[in-house]
């Protein structure tokens, strides 16, 4: 345990300063200090992907990322992928494909897939599945999610 | 058939309110579990009232306002709540039309309704909204109003997009975990290290020193903390753990000898079906024993609950499947008058049966008692979720079929050994978890089984669908419960269907018959035949008759859920030597009237993939004292790369009553995989999961 400190971070393009123990998991800072409740707690162990966010464009488990380690970096959560007026292409294809059941895994899927499409705009189905293997879904929405990601790719090009 | 939901709540205005501002408020006692039920119910209301679905507002269920519809379980929501709402709305529409007819002075049959606008032949009009304050719905449903004919449906039967999806993809829709009422505190529980462990001493100092700790709670062996910040709740629990001393003892069976344990334990026998045997001596017989291990719900979110005490009044928020039963349990354990407690349902992550939702709510009640006036949110850890939530029971199924000289079945015996599949809160025999740890501990009785007329538990789907003579079906329910078990999706149907379909496949092989043809020869039920034929045809059955042992194979599984719900047939294509890989699932399903086709496909597909995960991968691990499979590494579930394409064919039966879809594909999927594995390898692997370990064990029986 360390004494509280001020930590500066940029989330969805906005600069924030939070005062907390710098070892606090990023997930709790996002959810409890910044009111960004899109990233979810699933395991706290880096094993399910429900808490995934992008740090400088790369998916990370925010549950086991201490907030000090993202100081000065750019964090994107599901709320920052798009907005109501201008949703991210993936958010549209997830609606088109009704690519969820309970939706608890959805934000983690979306941010992980968004990073994948940035990295590999022409990724194939096997590549999508590989990229999402660290994101668990218990409801069995997998095939719909894969279709939504592939469709976001096609419609993009 | 009488509708139980209407029996409990016959008054029209308990179900719906038509408002002057152009919306319809709907209060169902069924809750959203991630299955899309609210969308289906909204469609039924929109259909009967003739209003646009966008005008429907589904009011979150709470014990003080919603009809008591018992649990949201057993794939009954569309039947019960949907049936009640259909009748209520049909009658409400008639009352509104009668009033409109009186005002416009025309016969009510001449009125036309479009999105709530009521129009007379001469063009004069009024609306549901205009008459909202005039027509009273404070009356019981009277017999005699006909609902619409399915031919006239415009909203029901369409794949209406689900109402909750846009908010969920935007990260805006709130789950119970996302509630942040003003002044909310974070609560965490320190569970005992093992089953039956008793706390002998605790040093609370270390926990109290963590910054922001508001309370450390101890009641018997129940321990918890309440803090201002979430991360500090975790730290305080860790600190508290170091200061505890427990008395522990071995209480669990040997996980490697589970079938032997189930067969040797004291049991209560129930004969579910006895057609007697009149046949003479058998010329041959087939005998096979099957088993499955304990299974975890393994929802992606751990359970969560919130509570707020104000004097003697208590407010609770829960993702429970049965808020009225949870309400009863809380009132009993806390000695509170029912009118002082309100339990409000808030959506959680996917729910596949009786999980730890109710337990988490009660944890919050106990912790919040220490901080009156402030709401406490409890979220379980992943480890506690996998280690302490109720489990799907381990089971053994024995099937023995006697054959006559012509190889025909002359008698059939099916025996099931299992813990009960029903341990839901409500009665004193099924206390909430923390209530068994506090000083004034309540004692849990072993889980029971619902009676067969309600679908059964251990014996669910144990009576074969086939015309087999001399059937005797028995359950042997354990009278001891080392690990707490309760309802997990499909209950006993998972292993019962796996076992029946495996033996039927063996009989087909003995008869030298094609498995699909052989089944058709034993099936009188037209709807069962139709799903079987549809699945076989869609999967290209017969065109690629693989040799047994060729490494790849097709297998089939069939069941009618609960023997009176949806019909489902599955064809699986499996590639295997020792490692089982499912390459494709083809499913045909008949759920009667389809309210939302895409919603049904989503449920069937989701059920099939969950069954695939259980059947090929899952097993709760434990040592002599505690569950040890407490993370996703020790309890792996299906991943994207392991998920095969799933093709679902919906058979349209608009004039048959709607049947639930949530659990229908579980048993048939498991069975189809097992039977395909046989074709691929030549091995009958009868012990689940179908891991390399169990496949290899089957080589040397
Ligand atoms: S909650 Fe972070 S990976 Fe599971
Ligand atoms: S949709 Fe429920 S966990 Fe993925």
């Amino acid at each position: 345990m360390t004494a509280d400190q001020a930590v500066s971070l940029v989330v969805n393009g906005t600069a924030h300063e939070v005062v907390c123990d710098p070892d606090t998991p990023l997930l709790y800072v996002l959810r409890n200090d910044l009111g960004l409740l899109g990233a979810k707690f699933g395991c706290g162990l880096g094993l399910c992907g429900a808490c995934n966010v992008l740090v400088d464009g790369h998916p990370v488990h925010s549950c086991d990322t201490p907030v000090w380690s993202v100081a000065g970096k750019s964090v994107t959560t599901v709320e920052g992928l798009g907005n109501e007026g201008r949703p991210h292409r993936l958010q549209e294809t997830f609606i088109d494909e009704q690519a969820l059941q309970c939706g608890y895994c959805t934000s983690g899927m979306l941010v992980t897939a968004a990073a994948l499409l940035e990295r590999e705009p022409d990724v194939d189905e096997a590549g999508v599945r590989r990229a999402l293997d660290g994101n668990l879904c218990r409801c069995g929405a997998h095939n719909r999610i894969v279709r939504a990601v592939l469709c976001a790719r096609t419609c993009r090009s | 058939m009488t509708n139980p939901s209407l029996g409990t709540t016959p008054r029209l205005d308990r179900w719906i309110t038509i408002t002057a501002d152009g919306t319809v408020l709907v209060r169902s006692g069924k809750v959203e579990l991630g299955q899309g039920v609210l969308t289906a119910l909204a469609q039924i209301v929109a259909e009967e009232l003739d209003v646009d679905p966008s005008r429907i507002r589904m009011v979150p269920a709470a014990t003080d306002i919603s009809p008591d519809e018992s649990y949201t379980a057993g794939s009954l929501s569309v039947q019960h709540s949907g049936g009640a709402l259909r009748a209520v709305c049909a009658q409400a529409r008639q009352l509104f039309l009668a009033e409109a007819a009186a005002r416009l002075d025309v016969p009510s049959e001449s009125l036309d309704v479009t999105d709530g606008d009521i129009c007379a032949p001469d063009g004069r009009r009024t609306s549901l909204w205009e008459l909202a304050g005039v027509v009273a719905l404070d009356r019981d449903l009277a017999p005699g109003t006909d609902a619409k004919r399915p031919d006239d449906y415009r909203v029901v039967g369409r794949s209406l997009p689900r109402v909750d999806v846009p908010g969920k993809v935007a990260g805006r829709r709130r789950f119970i975990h996302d509630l942040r009422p003003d002044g909310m505190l974070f609560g965490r529980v320190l569970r005992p290290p093992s089953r039956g462990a008793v706390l002998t001493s605790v040093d609370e100092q270390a926990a109290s020193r963590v910054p922001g700790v508001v309370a450390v709670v101890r009641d018997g062996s129940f321990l918890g903390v309440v803090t201002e910040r979430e991360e500090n709740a975790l730290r305080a629990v860790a600190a508290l753990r170091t200061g505890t001393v427990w008395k522990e003892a071995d209480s669990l069976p040997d996980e490697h000898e589970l079938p032997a344990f189930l067969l040797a334990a004291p049991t209560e026998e129930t004969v579910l079906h006895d057609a007697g045997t009149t046949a003479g001596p058998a010329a041959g017989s087939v005998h096979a024993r099957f088993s499955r291990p304990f299974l975890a719900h393994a929802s992606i979110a751990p359970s969560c609950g919130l509570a707020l005490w104000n004097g003697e009044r208590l407010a609770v928020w829960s993702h429970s499947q049965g808020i009225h039963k949870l309400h009863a349990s809380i009132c009993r354990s806390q000695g509170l008058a029912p009118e002082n407690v309100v339990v409000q349902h808030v959506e959680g992550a996917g729910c596949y049966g009786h999980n730890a939702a109710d337990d988490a709510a009660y944890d919050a009640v106990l912790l919040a008692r220490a901080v009156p006036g402030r709401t406490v949110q409890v979220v379980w850890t992943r480890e506690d979720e996998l280690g302490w939530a109720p489990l799907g029971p381990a089971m053994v199924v024995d099937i023995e079929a006697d054959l006559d000289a012509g190889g025909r079945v002359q008698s059939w015996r099916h025996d099931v050994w299992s813990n009960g599949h029903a341990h839901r809160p409500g009665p004193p025999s099924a206390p909430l978890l923390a209530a068994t740890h506090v000083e004034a501990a309540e004692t849990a009785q072993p889980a029971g089984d619902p009676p067969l007329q309600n679908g059964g538990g251990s014996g669910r789907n144990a009576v074969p669908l086939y015309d087999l003579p001399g059937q005797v079906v028995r359950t042997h329910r354990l009278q001891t419960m080392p690990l707490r078990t309760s309802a997990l999706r499909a209950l006993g149907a998972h292993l019962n269907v796996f076992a029946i379909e495996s033996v039927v496949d063996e009989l087909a092989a003995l008869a030298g018959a094609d498995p699909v043809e052989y089944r058709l020869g034993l099936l009188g039920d037209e709807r069962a035949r139709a799903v079987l034929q549809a699945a076989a045809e869609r999967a290209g059955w017969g065109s690629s008759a693989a040799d047994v042992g060729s490494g790849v194979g097709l297998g089939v599984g069939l069941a009618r859920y609960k023997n009176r719900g949806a019909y489902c047939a599955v064809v699986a294509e499996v590639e295997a030597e020792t490692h089982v890989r499912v390459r494709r699932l083809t499913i045909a399903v008949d759920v009667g009237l389809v309210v939302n086709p895409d919603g049904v496909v989503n449920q069937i597909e989701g059920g099939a993939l969950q069954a695939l995960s259980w059947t090929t991968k899952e097993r709760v691990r434990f040592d002599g004292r505690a569950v040890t499979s407490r993370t996703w590494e020790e309890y792996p579930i299906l991943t994207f790369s392991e998920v095969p394409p799933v093709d679902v064919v919906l058979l349209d039966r608009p004039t048959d009553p709607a049947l639930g879809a949530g659990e229908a594909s579980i048993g048939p999927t498991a069975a189809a995989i097992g039977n395909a594995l046989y074709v691929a390898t030549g091995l009958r692997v009868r012990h689940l999961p179908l891991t390399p370990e169990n496949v290899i064990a089957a080589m040397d029986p």
Side-chain angles (χ1 to χ4, degrees):
Chain A
M1 229 179 302
T2 328
D4 285 0
Q5 285 172 24
V7 182
S8 306
L9 65 166
V10 177
V11 182
N12 300 333
T14 308
H16 297 273
E17 191 176 277
V18 292
V19 178
C20 64
D21 182 333
D23 286 333
T24 300
L26 173 60
L27 178 66
Y28 293 145
V29 171
L30 294 171
R31 291 175 55 81
N32 302 332
D33 294 292
L34 305 183
L36 294 167
L37 292 147
K40 306 297 181 203
F41 176 86
C43 67
L45 302 164
L47 295 171
C48 76
C51 65
N52 279 11
V53 300
L54 305 180
V55 174
D56 288 344
H58 300 290
V60 304
H61 301 125
S62 65
C63 69
D64 62 4
T65 301
V67 66
W68 64 259
S69 72
V70 301
K73 296 189 180 166
S74 163
V75 177
T76 308
T77 70
V78 66
E79 292 95 336
L81 282 185
N83 55 49
E84 236 167 300
R86 267 187 42 143
H88 188 279
R89 182 70 198 126
L90 277 165
Q91 288 168 319
E92 293 175 337
T93 58
F94 266 61
I95 294 176
D96 295 343
E97 296 293 334
Q98 298 279 295
L100 56 89
Q101 275 187 32
C102 75
Y104 198 86
C105 66
T106 305
S107 359
M109 299 286 177
L110 282 165
V111 298
T112 310
L116 170 68
L117 293 182
E118 282 299 322
R119 208 166 60 231
E120 264 183 272
D122 298 317
V123 63
D124 63 4
E125 179 173 337
V128 173
R129 289 184 188 273
R130 258 196 316 277
L132 291 176
D133 265 339
N135 288 71
L136 300 180
C137 174
R138 185 54 157 174
C139 296
H142 307 79
N143 288 336
R144 288 163 180 260
I145 294 168
V146 170
R147 282 202 298 276
V149 176
L150 290 174
C151 180
R153 172 204 63 175
T154 324
C155 309
R156 199 185 120 97
S157 49
Chain B
M1 193 176 71
T2 53
N3 183 310
S5 300
L6 280 174
T8 326
T9 310
R11 251 176 70 142
L12 305 179
D13 62 355
R14 289 289 310 277
W15 293 91
I16 60 165
T17 307
I18 293 172
T19 70
D21 65 5
T23 57
V24 181
L25 307 182
V26 180
R27 288 170 291 274
S28 166
K30 300 292 184 185
V31 298
E32 185 61 54
L33 306 173
Q35 82 283 43
V37 68
L38 296 187
T39 306
L41 296 177
Q43 279 179 273
I44 290 171
V45 171
E47 183 70 67
E48 289 302 330
L49 290 177
D50 275 317
V51 303
D52 191 88
S54 64
R55 295 183 182 273
I56 310 294
R57 306 277 178 272
M58 300 300 297
V59 178
T63 48
D64 54 344
I65 55 164
S66 306
D68 182 355
E69 295 196 79
S70 190
Y71 304 107
T72 304
S75 302
L76 292 168
S77 299
V78 173
Q79 265 153 284
H80 289 175
S81 205
L85 284 167
R86 181 177 294 118
V88 164
C89 292
Q91 190 147 97
R93 181 181 191 274
Q94 195 189 47
L95 294 169
F96 275 79
L97 286 187
E99 177 65 28
R103 296 190 162 210
L104 300 171
D105 199 20
V106 294
S108 85
E109 307 79 60
S110 70
L111 294 169
D112 191 54
V113 189
T114 313
D115 190 18
D117 265 342
I118 305 172
C119 188
D122 59 6
R124 285 175 308 138
R125 53 183 64 233
T126 177
S127 69
L128 294 180
W129 331 117
E130 208 170 288
L131 300 177
V134 185
V135 179
L137 297 181
D138 57 345
R139 54 167 89 187
D140 287 359
L141 182 77
T145 308
D146 288 335
K148 272 194 190 173
R149 290 182 318 134
D151 289 353
D152 298 329
Y153 281 168
R154 280 176 292 191
V155 180
V156 165
R158 274 175 33 205
S159 288
L160 207 67
R162 271 171 49 183
V163 290
D164 52 339
V165 169
K168 284 176 175 172
V169 303
R172 266 185 286 113
R173 172 109 177 177
R174 297 293 171 242
F175 293 86
I176 187 168
H177 309 75
D178 304 329
L179 296 183
R180 289 293 180 274
D182 283 344
M184 188 187 92
L185 297 168
F186 296 91
R188 288 291 188 282
V189 174
L190 172 58
R191 294 275 168 232
S194 59
R195 307 277 162 159
V198 175
L199 183 64
T200 52
S201 76
V202 56
D203 171 11
E204 294 161 17
Q205 289 309 310
S208 303
R209 277 196 299 273
V210 173
V213 170
V214 184
V216 177
V217 175
R218 176 187 180 183
D219 182 348
S221 295
F222 176 83
L223 283 171
V225 300
V226 179
T227 63
E228 296 281 353
R229 290 187 59 92
E230 193 164 15
E231 63 274 17
N232 289 339
L234 303 182
R235 289 180 178 135
V237 164
L240 193 57
R241 180 174 288 122
T242 60
T244 54
V245 181
W246 303 84
K247 196 169 90 222
E248 297 184 69
D250 286 353
S251 65
L252 303 183
D254 180 352
E255 67 161 355
H256 301 292
E257 301 292 343
L258 255 186
F261 164 73
L262 295 176
L263 293 166
T267 57
E268 174 194 81
E269 181 184 305
T270 306
V271 178
L272 298 183
H273 185 77
D274 188 350
T277 37
T278 47
S285 74
V286 173
H287 177 206
R289 175 167 291 170
F290 303 83
S291 74
R292 79 165 196 184
F294 291 100
L295 295 172
H297 291 253
S299 180
I300 295 304
S303 296
C304 174
L306 291 84
L308 167 64
W309 286 83
N310 268 321
E312 281 300 288
R313 302 186 73 81
L314 173 64
V316 177
W317 293 261
S318 174
H319 52 114
S320 167
Q321 282 184 295
I323 51 174
H324 291 274
K325 309 282 183 192
L326 173 59
H327 181 265
S329 282
I330 292 171
C331 292
R332 187 189 62 244
S333 297
Q334 290 290 311
L336 293 170
E339 61 274 18
N340 284 343
V341 181
V342 174
V343 181
Q344 161 97 49
H345 182 266
V346 187
E347 191 176 341
C351 169
Y352 320 106
H354 172 207
N355 56 24
D358 306 274
D359 297 324
Y362 197 59
D363 290 342
V365 168
L366 293 183
L367 296 184
R369 205 169 47 180
V371 288
R374 295 191 72 178
T375 309
V376 174
Q377 181 189 61
V378 171
V379 178
W380 278 28
T381 60
R382 171 52 51 195
E383 292 87 337
D384 285 348
E385 188 74 20
L386 288 171
W388 282 98
L391 302 172
M395 298 171 68
V396 168
V397 170
D398 244 24
I399 295 180
E400 217 173 342
D402 289 337
L403 310 176
D404 66 16
R408 284 177 298 271
V409 173
Q410 64 181 34
S411 66
W412 172 278
R413 284 176 300 285
H414 183 127
D415 285 279
V416 187
W417 287 263
S418 173
N419 264 122
H421 291 243
H423 203 246
R424 294 180 179 279
S429 56
L432 298 159
L433 180 62
T436 67
H437 292 156
V438 293
E439 185 71 49
E442 300 174 41
T443 311
Q445 302 302 319
D449 271 329
L452 196 61
Q453 57 271 28
N454 293 349
S458 308
R460 183 163 293 183
N461 279 99
V463 179
L465 200 55
Y466 302 105
D467 302 329
L468 296 167
Q471 293 177 21
V472 178
V473 179
R474 287 176 294 238
T475 57
H476 309 264
R477 183 175 62 85
L478 266 67
Q479 302 296 293
T480 163
M481 186 169 66
L483 287 163
R484 185 169 59 137
T485 61
S486 194
L488 174 63
R489 205 172 190 180
L491 281 59
H494 175 231
L495 190 66
N496 286 322
V497 174
F498 182 90
I500 292 169
E501 291 292 281
S502 175
V503 173
V504 168
D505 241 41
E506 267 187 69
L507 294 174
L510 281 177
D514 171 81
V516 171
E517 291 303 324
Y518 185 80
R519 283 172 172 80
L520 288 172
L522 295 174
L523 276 176
D525 186 330
E526 269 314 312
R527 293 172 74 177
R529 297 174 64 89
V531 288
L532 179 57
Q533 284 165 320
E537 187 179 320
R538 181 76 152 234
W541 186 271
S543 60
S544 59
D547 295 334
V548 170
S550 63
V552 188
L554 290 186
V556 67
L558 168 74
R560 178 177 196 193
Y561 186 52
K562 299 187 200 171
N563 289 47
R564 62 213 172 96
Y567 294 84
C568 182
V570 179
V571 175
E573 181 179 320
V574 163
E575 178 186 327
E577 278 171 29
T578 54
H579 184 84
V580 176
R581 194 168 80 82
V582 177
R583 297 212 295 200
R584 183 160 65 98
L585 293 173
T586 309
I587 305 178
V589 62
D590 166 3
V591 295
L593 167 73
V594 176
V595 176
N596 184 324
D598 189 59
V600 171
V601 171
N602 204 346
Q603 280 293 297
I604 291 293
E605 186 177 317
L609 292 179
Q610 196 168 95
L612 162 54
S613 187
W614 295 354
T615 305
T616 60
K617 300 186 73 156
E618 296 182 30
R619 172 188 181 195
V620 172
R621 310 298 306 262
F622 48 90
D623 59 21
R625 295 183 173 179
V627 171
T628 53
S629 48
R630 292 157 56 92
T631 75
W632 296 121
E633 279 174 330
E634 294 125 4
Y635 194 87
I637 62 172
L638 205 65
T639 61
F640 273 89
S641 296
E642 297 167 324
V643 168
V646 182
D647 184 12
V648 181
V649 189
L650 272 188
L651 273 61
D652 194 22
R653 301 263 183 189
T655 53
D656 286 301
L659 303 166
E663 297 157 292
S665 58
I666 301 272
T669 300
I673 294 169
N675 288 338
L677 176 60
Y678 168 73
V679 179
T681 62
L683 293 171
R684 286 275 163 209
V685 186
R686 300 194 178 100
H687 299 287
L688 302 183
L690 304 173
T691 52
E693 196 186 355
N694 280 340
V695 173
I696 290 166
M699 291 174 183
D700 195 15

